[in-house]
Amino acid sequence: MNKLSKLFSAKKPLIGMIHLPPLPGYPDYSGMDGVVKKALKDLKVLEKAGFNGVLVENTDTPGFVAAPSEIKKAMKKVTKEVIRKSSLPVGMEIVYDMTATINIAASLGCNFVRLDVFADTVKTRWGIVPYSYKEVNKILASYSKKPLLLVDVHVKHAKLLSKKSLEKSIKISLKHGANGIIITGKWTGIEPKLEDLKQARKVIGDKVPIIIGSGLNFTNTEKLLSLTDGAIVGTSIKTGDYIDFKKASDLAAIAKQSKNY
């Protein structure tokens, strides 16, 4: 059993996204009570629906390459509350701020993190985000309890600023401590290319899990789980801004009925 399966008590875990409403500094921000309330409502739905873990993430537009202090404080507050209330493993990510993510996650005792940018420097809508593995490992060295590092390679919503192959990015990630490799499509809700998943498996073998980072839905679950070791799910189980219990429970049921689960 790999570290991912052991943490989530599932052979191929489903991790549900808790997308947060506007945080401090954004026009539609309505206070931290509302942010926490929404996060805890999504948490309860994911627990009841049969998911194996949850991932807390900010979704504000425009984003930041380096999050301001008020965003960091807000993320720390809401994630702490989710951890306090959750019966499931909890992870977090501040989008495009890998050092803030790892600092907060490690200080709170999060079970895992998602790091969009680890081995690759990329260009995003909000600016250039440099590779982060050196800084991440430097920060982790000061903590005895370390979250699992689930890291993207050739991540969605970004342009790779090199001709680095998928194989090379994966090898760099593994060398510098990745506990799981996340493969995405080009955009939210788009499934990864099957050839990318197959290539990743060829490179990784059984060293660490391969996780789907976008696009798992009601029609492709069995196909994608046959090639991977779990999935992070958001878009397909939401109605509006909230997790939909029926959608989430139906997807979990499909995964559990699959011969690959």
Side-chain angles (χ1 to χ4, degrees):
M1 180 178 286
N2 61 49
K3 290 183 179 180
L4 194 75
S5 298
K6 186 176 182 180
L7 172 63
F8 294 102
S9 301
K11 182 180 177 183
K12 298 193 176 188
L14 294 180
I15 302 168
M17 293 295 307
I18 296 178
H19 287 134
L20 299 178
L23 296 180
Y26 287 88
D28 294 330
Y29 172 63
S30 58
M32 282 305 298
D33 287 348
V35 173
V36 172
K37 183 178 179 180
K38 194 269 184 186
L40 295 181
K41 183 173 182 178
D42 279 349
L43 168 65
K44 288 181 180 180
V45 173
L46 289 166
E47 288 175 329
K48 291 179 181 178
F51 271 62
N52 308 108
V54 298
L55 176 63
V56 181
E57 183 181 273
N58 59 323
T59 59
D60 294 307
T61 300
F64 297 94
V65 172
S69 60
E70 61 263 36
I71 297 297
K72 296 176 188 177
K73 290 178 182 177
M75 286 294 295
K76 186 171 185 177
K77 180 179 177 65
V78 66
T79 303
K80 184 177 181 179
E81 284 302 301
V82 172
I83 291 171
R84 190 171 70 87
K85 293 286 189 177
S86 181
S87 63
L88 302 173
V90 176
M92 66 160 290
E93 177 182 29
I94 300 177
V95 177
Y96 298 142
D97 195 330
M98 306 302 99
T99 55
T101 295
I102 203 67
N103 264 314
I104 293 171
S107 70
L108 291 176
C110 279
N111 301 106
F112 67 100
V113 293
R114 179 178 186 173
L115 301 177
D116 277 349
V117 182
F118 190 67
D120 305 313
T121 296
V122 300
K123 182 178 181 180
T124 74
R125 290 175 290 170
W126 322 126
I128 293 174
V129 186
Y131 72 88
S132 66
Y133 62 80
K134 288 183 180 179
E135 189 63 27
V136 166
N137 281 296
K138 182 179 179 181
I139 293 167
L140 280 179
S142 62
Y143 290 94
S144 56
K145 183 181 178 182
K146 299 173 174 55
L148 293 187
L149 304 182
L150 309 185
V151 310
D152 285 82
V153 289
H154 294 206
V155 68
K156 63 184 178 180
H157 301 178
K159 179 181 179 182
L160 197 67
L161 291 184
S162 71
K163 295 182 179 179
K164 196 184 300 175
S165 67
L166 185 68
E167 177 180 357
K168 182 67 172 177
S169 295
I170 290 172
K171 287 182 175 178
I172 292 172
S173 299
L174 295 178
K175 180 180 178 181
H176 294 284
N179 302 115
I181 298 295
I182 300 172
I183 307 289
T184 67
K186 291 296 184 183
W187 206 257
T188 297
I190 303 298
E191 69 178 63
K193 295 179 180 179
L194 295 185
E195 54 263 39
D196 287 347
L197 296 178
K198 291 175 181 177
Q199 184 182 6
R201 179 63 72 197
K202 184 177 180 181
V203 175
I204 295 170
D206 295 323
K207 292 178 184 177
V208 302
I210 299 169
I211 303 152
I212 300 159
S214 68
L216 191 83
N217 59 46
F218 302 97
T219 62
N220 64 15
T221 295
E222 184 163 357
K223 174 185 69 176
L224 293 181
L225 286 181
S226 72
L227 297 169
T228 59
D229 304 297
I232 298 169
V233 189
T235 303
S236 64
I237 56 172
K238 291 171 67 175
T239 296
D241 293 329
Y242 286 83
I243 303 295
D244 184 298
F245 174 74
K246 186 177 188 311
K247 290 180 179 179
S249 56
D250 285 353
L251 187 66
I254 291 170
K256 289 175 182 178
Q257 290 165 8
S258 165
K259 63 183 179 181
N260 302 301
Y261 186 74

